[in-house]
């Protein structure tokens, strides 16, 4: 091998025109990527480039995808440690490349030891500005929005990071189609009110105002996951909420018992299989309250409750929750949109939407957002 | 991290039921993968698995794709060195996984230092048999068959390993559609008679009978690249030859001068833009002679000359070469098939066929082979 | 020409195993086809077959499509008069053909002189039974459901029968996908409460219980259009209501003045562009009341309010109307389903959904109905 | 009905800017349409339009398709007689419509009584010029080119006009894609040398120079079918010959005996299933001679032998025939192109290519012609 003597190392804070995607603490040395779809991006005129990553976990390892000029070229597991990963080499040193290193798996609420960081970049060239995109989108959701099941054979059943994708995902596709930068706030199994198994703590709204509040543990505390998110620094044009699928699941699952208080939380079905009215009302209230919280933090965004990739049983309740919110507040920039249901042709791994369903969802959602933004 | 104490290391020779795809020397410790699409494959009942790879190069680094249960889950550059790569972890230890580690880039005739090896596997489980496939296909070709340009933005122009793909490639797709195992013998820029720039040494036929004779250098000699290939051990049902595109290129390029002898080799056009007859006859003869060599080594295979993904200017000459071969030998198991031309919609990087063209080519070729094999 | 001497004429009442699709009065001599998609169907073992049609109109002529073995083979305008149309000739007399003569354009509320009838069939063979289909669907809608704009260039603007299609229509496609027989009750420009231009008489619910009550004139009276529909004779498994698009249009149109009373009906927008609350409530009430009427007449059907092929502005109000109905009645077999919006790629003539949008709508609706019927 | 008093009748010779597609005798009163895809076309600014047709046959009735502004709106059988067919009515009298009445079924060599004519047009408006298209294509072929099997269920087996289509046909699609006007010369079952059943008279070349020389009978003589075609008046840019499929069929069929001479014509297979060399040479000679005839009459056209929608067994022989022609004449504007084979997904009625195969063939052929014409 010819060693490339021209390589120089830049800490993230030293990368000119660095763009960090996804919520962070603002800390650059290193940059911690919490959420799926979060990324570092830069334009570089160079022949070779490496990134220094750090990864740790008790159970669920991080994965990254690498995009060169917006096309995925590599996807790999980040085993534990701090080390250099080569992004490209042997390229024309005079051509500018757009590089995006994307966290390809969701934040892991179940693994307090899981984290992923970018420390530095090593290159023989120079950084040039990245063009700003005209729109900002935020997606809030569950496993669907985390892209669970996008990768892997239909027969796969293990719950592991390998089957997640931030790239072949309706979030990325929609943002791409409308030339928007975007953030994702998502967690498999979670809902607006409870998780699929009735855990009332496993809801997205409670920790929405923290950088990545659904994490746990000392390590994540130290990384700033529980800091208040700086909403002023990034105000989206559109917020898409894709929640409700696990709230429906809760109705079909046994109650969840709080280990400390012994209290059981349970969304119940009536004997005839319909939803218990009081429990459904609790869900609707959760929808309403989440919208209030979203509006508090996102002053001008169009809020779209987009739901349906795994069926629409909660749709009437979502409409009622949204309706009540709209009526009480007079907010006119909130609406509900049905996403296309997964079929036998579009299913992926783990009985979750596959690439084809994400593509269809992205197409329909893109059309809807186009109408709203009048693009 | 919880260290997995149950991991045990197996040299390749110790992997039960190991399947090696692609031409090799037969050496298992380590397995050297020469050609694109070559691979190690095994079925394993385990929760975790790593492979120990070794990679070296002066210029062009190897890449691999990892397939779990036939689905690509990871693709990465192999920077120089010998090290462990994690294939999966955290999976159900009682479920069998099919694992395939595929060399994702062609043998590099231009880089005598380039090689790639698999030394060992580390796992906490056990190996189980891999079901044999009913057919064997061999593909012989140039950059198209090497999958050059399948990965990357249309604007990419660098000649680097990153843009190659063995997976999203008509070879893999065709073999997959017909449940065949397959091998690929290919080199960008090369032809039947000469390379695109008239180099008469850059042809596939000359070294066809060696394991990977188009390589160079002491390292590759040591690895056995120039050994005679053991044809008896693997007799294909179908041989697909996708050559001619660079032979046409030679007619449109200046002559090539041998540095030692000073002799110039040049395939010429007439003043009116048609092929010089004598030079075209040399090409036709090369087609004929290659078929003789193919038949010598592949006693019963259907030989299909498949051509057209970048235009069909050489088609009449190919037909003449094939015709003459068939007439002289009475061989009835040889034919010519036109592949669909790349369009603006199906183009990939580096002005080469993209995934969509490979998909279309695979569909049409699959139909043709089905007819021949009467499947 | 060789005259086929074997042809015999059968009045409709004489056709064994005749199947009449769509609401009729029960009269067979002749059969009057009122609605789009209504049809006569039979299986015949013969070499030749003709039908005797009768057509009349002041303005809008009827069209038919002919399907042989479920495939459209002919589509033609029926100019005024009573005459024979050849359906097929020269076929194998021993093979059974399924024949369906379909009215390819909606009932014409605006043309009291418009009617279409089948008097008789002339054939040289015999009729055999038509297999019954396992499901019955009813579709109620506006121009979308009438297939307006499915035929014709995008630039077409005339409001004429030629641009309508009962065949390349989501109703036919959905029924076909699920092997259901079906009926369509539809009218361009009409709504649940009013038409697009605020006419409160131009609503589907008012005349729902008549055979084809939206027609007018003495001729149609004589034909029985205003008779009570015999719901007992045909109880659907699914009723799809695709209304709301014109009710939204009313809000964006000037008021409609009753010529007799001078009274103006007007659905109003507020100054800020939102719907006037009282007017919107009137729409919601219309939804609720229509559901009551539908349930009265269709005892066991799943009622699906399917809406969205031209946008979803009324969706919240539809949900409210449906919700109130469900709450008041306890009816659990009613739901709302969003259909995919038309795009620039799927648009047809007259700014209406084209074949591609109908296909997409049919696919999604089919999936939804499959879930409901647990097929 | 309101009778349209403004209608005036124009004999074809009185239609300003009338465009007649397909070979004719030049006679306008009436216009006889011989070949599939032949048509009358005009632009008219009117609210209503009728055409007066005349049809006759002993066995196989003509069909027409009507296109308004390039979109098919009607397709119907023309039963025997002379009568008026309404093309449109009730349209905006100030808008110009492009109208094309297309013969939707091939010339019928087997029915001397079959003919179809356009006598006149009745309209209330005026004719305006039709824009000329920049290219002219001629297609010569067999049942594939006649669109046999494009219409109808896969199970259909009768040989009747109903299953033919000139519209959903690779000829029309290719011409449309490249904005060319076009002509079709085709006959089911026929070949270059013989028909599928070895009849040496059933070949396209023999009568190529007549207007429609494959017809028979006194009626067609009177209509001018056997007159010399006026090649000077219409010189194509591209001639596509799609023949060979039936010539292959002949090898697999019993010999054909001339009723008069008792002589048997038979293309034979060897015992091992390969083609008899002498018989194959006769085919190749027929290819060569047809090309000579084509070139004589089409001075500057690119001649493309396009073959493959029902397999490619004759491809080597076609290449040899074309090669010999090119070598002997030095003609550089002749080439061979393989069309995509029909699959189980793209099959139509009567085991013939369906719409999807025609679409795929058109796409690939379009790309090839684009390259040749450098469009």
């Amino acid at each position: 091998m010819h060693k490339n003597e021209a390589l120089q190392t830049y800490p993230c804070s030293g990368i000119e025109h660095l763009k960090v995607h996804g919520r962070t603490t603002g800390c650059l040395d290193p940059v911690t990527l919490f959420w799926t779809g979060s990324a570092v991006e830069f334009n570089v005129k160079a022949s070779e480039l490496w990134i220094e990553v750090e990864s740790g976990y008790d159970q669920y390892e991080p994965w990254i995808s690498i995009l060169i000029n917006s096309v995925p070229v590599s996807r790999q597991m980040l085993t534990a440690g701090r080390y250099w990963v080569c992004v490209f080499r042997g390229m024309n040193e005079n051509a500018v490349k757009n590089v995006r290193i994307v966290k390809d798996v969701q934040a892991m609420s179940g693994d307090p030891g899981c984290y992923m960081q970018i420390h530095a970049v090593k290159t023989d060239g120079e950084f040039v500005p990245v063009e700003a995109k005209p729109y900002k989108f935020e997606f809030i959701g569950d496993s669907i929005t985390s892209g669970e099941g996008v990768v892997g054979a239909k027969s796969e059943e293990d719950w592991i990071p390998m089957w997640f994708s931030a790239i072949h995902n309706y979030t990325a596709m929609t943002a791409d189609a409308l030339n928007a930068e975007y953030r994702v706030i998502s967690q498999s199994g979670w809902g607006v009110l409870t998780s699929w198994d009735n855990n009332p703590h496993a809801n997205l709204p409670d920790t929405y105002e923290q950088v990545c509040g659904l994490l746990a543990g000392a390590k994540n505390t130290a990384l700033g996951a529980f800091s208040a998110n700086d909403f002023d620094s990034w105000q989206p044009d559109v917020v898409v909420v894709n929640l409700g699928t696990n709230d429906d699941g809760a109705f079909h699952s046994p109650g969840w018992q709080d280990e400390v208080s012994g209290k059981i939380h349970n969304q119940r079905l009536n004997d005839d299989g319909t939803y218990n009215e009081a429990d459904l009302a609790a869900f609707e209230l959760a929808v309403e309250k989440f919208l209030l919280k979203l509006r508090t933090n996102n002053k001008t965004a169009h809020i779209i409750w987009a739901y349906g990739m795994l069926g629409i049983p909660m749709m009437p309740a979502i409409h009622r929750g949204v309706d009540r919110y709209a009526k009480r507040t007079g907010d006119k920039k909130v609406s509900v949109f049905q996403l296309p249901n997964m079929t036998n042709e579009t299913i992926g791994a783990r009985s979750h939407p596959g690439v084809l369903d994400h593509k269809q969802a992205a197409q329909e959602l893109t059309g809807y957002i186009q109408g709203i933004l009048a693009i």
Side-chain angles (χ1 to χ4, degrees), chain A:
Chain A
M1 259 110 341
H2 310 291
K3 196 164 154 48
N4 186 340
E5 305 288 355
L7 293 177
Q8 293 191 22
T9 299
Y10 302 83
C12 285
S13 63
I15 302 173
E16 271 187 294
H17 317 297
L18 176 71
K19 199 149 191 167
V20 180
H21 297 273
R23 289 185 179 181
T24 62
T25 58
C27 173
L28 288 180
D29 291 324
V31 171
T32 302
L33 297 181
F34 292 103
W35 301 97
T36 189
S38 59
V40 293
E41 179 188 8
F42 41 80
N43 280 349
V44 64
K45 199 156 80 179
S47 83
E48 185 168 336
L49 187 137
W50 300 63
I51 51 163
E52 191 189 19
V53 298
E54 183 175 339
S55 157
Y57 45 89
D58 295 330
Q59 207 170 345
Y60 302 121
E61 78 284 349
W63 284 63
I64 54 167
S65 273
I66 298 175
L67 285 78
I68 306 289
N69 295 328
S70 303
V71 175
V73 298
S74 178
R75 172 180 142 92
Q76 51 193 284
M77 184 191 290
L78 292 189
T79 48
R82 177 172 171 170
Y83 46 88
W84 288 93
V85 170
C86 186
V87 173
F88 63 81
R89 49 185 300 286
M91 295 186 80
N92 176 355
E93 64 189 358
N94 295 314
V96 175
K97 292 96 194 159
N98 177 267
V99 174
R100 187 186 274 247
I101 313 297
V102 183
K103 186 164 192 279
D104 218 12
V105 63
Q106 69 172 20
M108 284 295 177
S109 62
D111 183 351
C114 177
Y115 71 97
M116 179 204 146
Q117 298 175 316
I118 312 280
H119 281 277
V121 160
K122 204 163 64 180
T123 187
D124 58 356
E126 65 190 53
F127 299 97
V128 296
V130 175
E131 206 183 348
K133 290 180 186 293
Y135 300 106
K136 292 186 179 69
F137 298 168
E138 181 173 278
F139 297 89
I140 303 165
D142 48 34
S143 58
I144 297 169
T145 300
S146 289
E148 182 180 337
V150 163
V151 174
K154 287 189 190 183
S155 57
E156 303 298 351
E157 295 184 348
D158 294 309
W159 199 92
I160 52 171
M162 188 152 65
W163 312 137
F164 286 76
S165 173
I167 303 297
H168 304 293
N169 186 306
Y170 81 92
T171 58
M173 294 172 187
T174 303
D176 200 44
L178 294 169
N179 199 20
E181 59 172 80
Y182 74 105
R183 292 177 169 186
V184 180
I185 311 292
S186 66
Q187 195 66 197
S188 290
W190 289 37
V192 193
L193 182 66
T194 73
S195 62
W196 68 275
D197 58 354
N198 276 301
N199 181 344
H201 306 303
N203 72 75
L204 272 298
D206 279 358
T207 56
Y208 177 74
E209 287 166 327
Q210 292 168 294
V211 169
C212 189
L214 54 77
L215 294 177
K219 175 71 189 179
N220 284 310
T221 308
L223 292 177
F226 309 113
S227 309
N229 184 55
D230 178 7
F231 286 96
D232 288 343
S233 67
W234 198 88
Q235 281 281 307
D237 300 285
V238 174
V239 173
V240 174
V241 187
N242 187 344
L243 287 171
T245 300
N246 290 303
D247 292 284
D248 169 63
F251 282 94
H252 301 87
S253 304
W256 176 90
Q257 185 163 23
D258 189 303
E259 290 185 17
V260 180
S261 68
K263 201 181 143 193
I264 288 176
H265 190 277
N266 197 7
Q267 296 284 84
R268 294 156 300 172
L269 292 179
N270 297 323
D271 290 344
D272 66 356
T274 56
Y275 296 118
N276 173 286
E277 215 165 306
D279 295 347
L280 195 60
F283 166 77
E284 293 171 30
L285 189 60
V287 169
E288 187 184 348
K289 286 169 70 178
F290 191 26
L291 290 170
L292 278 168
K293 184 176 277 192
L294 287 173
R295 177 56 76 218
T296 303
N297 294 297
N298 304 284
K299 299 289 187 264
T300 59
H302 294 263
I303 305 176
I304 302 167
W305 204 291
Y307 168 72
M309 289 166 76
L310 287 171
I312 56 168
M314 300 299 275
M315 193 57 109
I318 289 170
H319 263 282
R320 284 191 296 268
V322 170
D323 244 28
R324 195 151 27 170
Y325 163 77
K327 197 158 287 175
R328 290 202 183 159
T329 60
D331 190 340
K332 294 181 188 82
K333 297 178 79 173
V334 57
S335 64
V336 181
F337 186 75
Q338 182 184 309
L339 296 173
N341 199 6
M342 184 179 81
T343 67
N344 283 335
E345 283 73 41
T346 62
I347 197 172
R350 289 184 47 72
S351 306
H352 269 71
V355 183
L356 293 176
D357 192 31
H358 276 269
K359 202 172 278 186
Q360 199 186 344
Q363 275 172 353
E364 299 196 13
L365 184 56
T366 295
Y368 186 62
I369 294 175
Q370 262 176 324
I372 283 179
L373 297 182
I375 324 182

